[in-house]
Amino acid sequence: MHIHFVIHEEYEGPGAFLDWVKDHNYSVSMTKLYENNILPTSAEHIDLLIVLGGPQDPITTTDECPYFDAQKEKELILKCILAHKAVIGVCLGAQLIGEALCNAYSHSPEKEFGVWPIHLTDEGKTHPKFKHIENELPVGHWHNDMPGLTPDAIVLATSKGCPRQIIEYSNLVYGLQCHMEFTPEVIELIIANDQESLVRYANHRFVQSAQQLMKYDYTTMNQALYTFLDKLVEEYKQLSDVRPLHHL
């Protein structure tokens, strides 16, 4: 398995995703956009594409952020989807998946910054890749927006602040508006670079303090992420040679 990460900012790194990659001895490559790395032009050598979050949104222009080109990222995402590769988008990455499939992102009903529970939908409770969550799970959040839905997309988890937390776009393509990859190290970097959001939105009901976030134990959400990833890779290996995606 070869895993490729698209990383928008140094302080929003792969966290638990990278721990999982190392534990399995998978090969890995990264496009660090903040260092002006160039995105891959082909999906050929990618088995799993993971597009991480960032302070940008899908309509941020290159004038506003010179190293962020939403159109090129959407093109790479679509190439991977059409090549029957596994694709995961986190936060901004999830929104870019929806946009790549021609469904615009939108603002979330609530701003969420902190650790808040997600709740599995009826589809999520019986889904083979997510039923291990057992109805609800506290996970990380750092967002104002949420992904668009295709006609066949299935919402597998919601939260009180956002109705689109985990989305299945196909049996190999998933959008995670939430951050199950958060670790103490990642949270420390995010707070150091974006504590302003916690201060600005402190009066919102789904915003926690830096102190609360620094004290939190992220192990359980990381373990839930690992189980999902293992199941996704297992299905990818089974389907990669012969079977088309179930629904797109």
Side-chain angles (χ1 to χ4, degrees), residues 39-241:
L39 288 164
T41 57
S42 168
E44 182 180 359
H45 301 296
I46 298 173
D47 293 302
L48 169 58
L49 175 69
I50 302 178
V51 184
L52 297 177
Q56 302 86 355
D57 59 45
I59 60 171
T60 297
T61 67
T62 52
D63 287 336
E64 295 168 317
C65 182
Y67 53 83
F68 174 71
D69 189 325
Q71 184 58 39
K72 287 184 178 179
E73 289 196 47
K74 289 186 287 185
E75 289 172 2
L76 174 61
I77 289 168
L78 193 57
K79 285 178 182 178
C80 288
I81 291 174
L82 294 177
H84 295 182
K85 305 306 176 98
V87 180
I88 297 172
V90 179
C91 201
L92 171 61
Q95 296 158 25
L96 288 167
I97 290 176
E99 293 264 334
L101 297 172
C102 301
N103 288 270
Y105 86 106
S106 58
H107 296 311
S108 176
E110 300 273 0
K111 301 179 189 303
E112 292 179 301
F113 292 81
V115 176
W116 305 98
I118 55 171
H119 307 273
L120 293 185
T121 61
D122 289 342
E123 292 83 358
K125 291 175 184 177
T126 59
H127 196 286
K129 296 190 189 77
F130 290 98
K131 61 184 181 180
H132 61 281
I133 289 178
E134 298 182 353
N135 299 338
E136 74 171 43
L137 176 72
V139 297
H141 304 272
W142 205 276
H143 73 101
N144 302 297
D145 301 317
M146 61 183 182
L149 299 178
T150 63
D152 294 324
I154 301 173
V155 177
L156 301 176
T158 67
S159 69
K160 290 183 178 179
C162 178
R164 303 174 189 173
Q165 287 288 355
I166 299 178
I167 301 166
E168 180 180 73
Y169 289 100
S170 83
N171 56 317
L172 294 179
V173 181
Y174 293 87
L176 309 179
Q177 182 57 56
C178 56
H179 292 270
M180 299 170 72
E181 84 283 5
F182 276 177
T183 63
E185 294 77 15
V186 170
I187 277 294
E188 184 176 356
L189 283 172
I190 290 177
I191 290 173
N193 285 273
D194 191 25
Q195 189 165 4
E196 177 188 355
S197 291
L198 300 181
V199 175
R200 184 191 314 153
Y201 304 130
N203 63 331
H204 290 254
R205 59 177 179 152
F206 297 115
V207 177
Q208 292 176 321
S209 69
Q211 291 74 20
Q212 287 173 296
L213 284 164
M214 291 297 292
K215 291 179 181 178
Y216 196 83
D217 183 351
Y218 295 87
T219 304
T220 300
M221 71 178 75
N222 295 163
Q223 291 296 331
L225 177 64
Y226 300 153
T227 300
F228 158 63
L229 292 170
D230 287 341
K231 292 179 177 180
L232 177 62
V233 166
E234 181 181 1
E235 183 162 8
Y236 171 76
K237 289 178 177 179
Q238 292 173 351
L239 300 179
S240 59
D241 291 333

